[in-house]
């Protein structure tokens, strides 16, 4: 397992935008998850090596996942942020896939995103 390194979290007002980055090792599947206090880790977006993307309903149309395999970076562009988006955000890579945690075996340490009204 290779530890991943996230950056780009912070505090933003409702309706604002943030972009998260994650330094990764190249793997077929990459994804972003989040976990709010007292809740289970939730899959938000995944992307395959061929660029196929899947989004959770909660973020569809607002968040965009992308990957730069030349520089080994995974991104999550987040727009129109809401208070309910407040959570710790994690990047993950693995041989599995989708929005479940089981397909991923390398995880970042997490970065806090706080959306205030």
């Amino acid at each position: 397992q290779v530890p991943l390194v996230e950056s780009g979290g912070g505090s933003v007002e409702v309706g604002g935008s943030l972009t998260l980055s994650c330094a990764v090792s190249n793997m077929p599947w990459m994804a972003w998850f989040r976990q709010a206090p007292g809740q289970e880790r939730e899959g938000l977006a995944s992307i395959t090596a061929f660029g196929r993307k899947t989004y959770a309903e909660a973020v569809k149309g607002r968040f965009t996942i992308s990957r730069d395999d030349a520089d080994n970076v995974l991104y999550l562009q987040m727009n129109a942020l809401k208070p309910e988006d407040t959570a710790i955000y994690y990047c993950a890579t693995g041989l599995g896939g989708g929005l479940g945690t089981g397909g991923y075996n390398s995880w970042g340490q997490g970065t806090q995103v706080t959306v205030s009204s």
Side-chain angles (χ1 to χ4, degrees):
Q1 298 182 6
V2 178
L4 312 178
V5 181
E6 298 127 341
S7 60
S11 297
V12 65
E13 293 184 350
V14 169
S17 299
L18 282 175
T19 299
L20 305 182
S21 302
C22 180
V24 298
S25 57
N26 201 351
M27 292 293 281
W29 286 83
M30 299 184 184
W32 288 96
F33 292 78
R34 70 185 178 191
Q35 189 165 18
Q39 298 187 18
E40 293 187 354
R41 192 164 295 190
E42 171 189 21
L44 303 176
S46 66
I47 186 168
T48 72
F50 298 102
R52 189 177 73 181
K53 304 175 184 180
T54 302
Y55 294 96
E57 286 298 321
V59 303
K60 193 175 293 184
R62 300 189 297 123
F63 291 10
T64 301
I65 189 171
S66 60
R67 57 190 286 171
D68 182 339
D69 289 340
D71 291 334
N72 291 329
V73 182
L74 177 68
Y75 298 98
L76 185 68
Q77 172 68 44
M78 305 185 294
N79 298 323
L81 284 161
K82 307 175 182 179
E84 52 263 44
D85 293 320
T86 296
I88 299 175
Y89 284 67
Y90 299 89
C91 58
T93 64
L95 298 176
L99 298 180
T101 59
Y104 302 93
N105 59 359
S106 291
W107 292 83
Q109 79 287 354
T111 185
Q112 178 71 46
V113 171
T114 302
V115 184
S116 59
S117 57

